[in-house]
Amino acid sequence: MTGELFRYLLVGVFNTFFGYALIFGAQFLLNWPPMVSNFAGYSVALMVSFALNRNLTFRSTGKKSKELPRFLLVFALAYLANFIVLYVLLRYTKTPSGACQIIAGVIYIFISYTLNKLLVFTSSVEKNGKK
């Protein structure tokens, strides 16, 4: 496994816990409604994911103003693929639902990592040969 992919996975694990902490904190400590808590948690976590992946995973030196819209598009595409795979597996196979979630999650990770690497964070110190 490359260092970049490993960093991507670590950022994902951290950001998942961080996002849930925000969601549950807003819901149970601030008494926000579940849907509002969910939206707020995901919104903040998505921006944290952008910052961590930009700076730690891919070590990008590109312009944030160009990378952020691409990052959001990649997120939407990866999530859509995740949702479609999950729907197809649940609807048309006898695969247990937990396994369906894992398979769909792997698809999300693969698409998200690949598209972020190829389309979003294309400028980096490492890619320009200046480790």
Side-chain angles (χ1 to χ4, degrees):
M1 179 181 313
T2 68
E4 191 177 75
L5 178 57
F6 182 72
R7 291 190 307 265
Y8 181 80
L9 295 173
L10 282 179
V11 164
V13 168
F14 167 80
N15 205 53
T16 298
F17 284 108
F18 177 71
Y20 277 110
L22 292 173
I23 291 167
F24 292 136
Q27 184 174 341
F28 297 114
L29 297 177
L30 300 176
N31 294 315
W32 290 7
M35 297 298 285
V36 174
S37 299
N38 184 277
F39 180 79
Y42 269 90
S43 296
V44 173
L46 187 58
M47 293 302 100
V48 169
S49 176
F50 172 74
L52 291 176
N53 279 306
R54 182 179 193 283
N55 296 311
L56 297 177
T57 302
F58 297 104
R59 299 176 179 164
S60 177
T61 58
K63 292 188 176 197
K64 290 179 193 175
S65 62
K66 290 185 179 183
E67 292 173 340
L68 182 58
R70 292 177 189 165
F71 180 81
L72 295 173
L73 178 61
V74 165
F75 166 77
L77 291 172
Y79 182 76
L80 179 62
N82 168 288
F83 189 83
I84 290 169
V85 167
L86 181 61
Y87 176 81
V88 168
L89 289 172
L90 290 171
R91 176 101 168 120
Y92 299 106
T93 73
K94 295 186 185 293
T95 307
S97 62
C100 292
Q101 290 281 12
I102 291 170
I103 294 166
V106 168
I107 296 298
Y108 173 89
I109 291 167
F110 174 77
I111 291 171
S112 179
Y113 173 75
T114 302
L115 293 181
N116 275 312
K117 183 179 179 69
L118 296 176
L119 302 176
V120 179
F121 303 111
T122 57
S123 297
S124 74
V125 173
E126 290 178 3
K127 291 176 188 161
N128 293 326
K130 302 174 190 170
K131 290 185 183 183

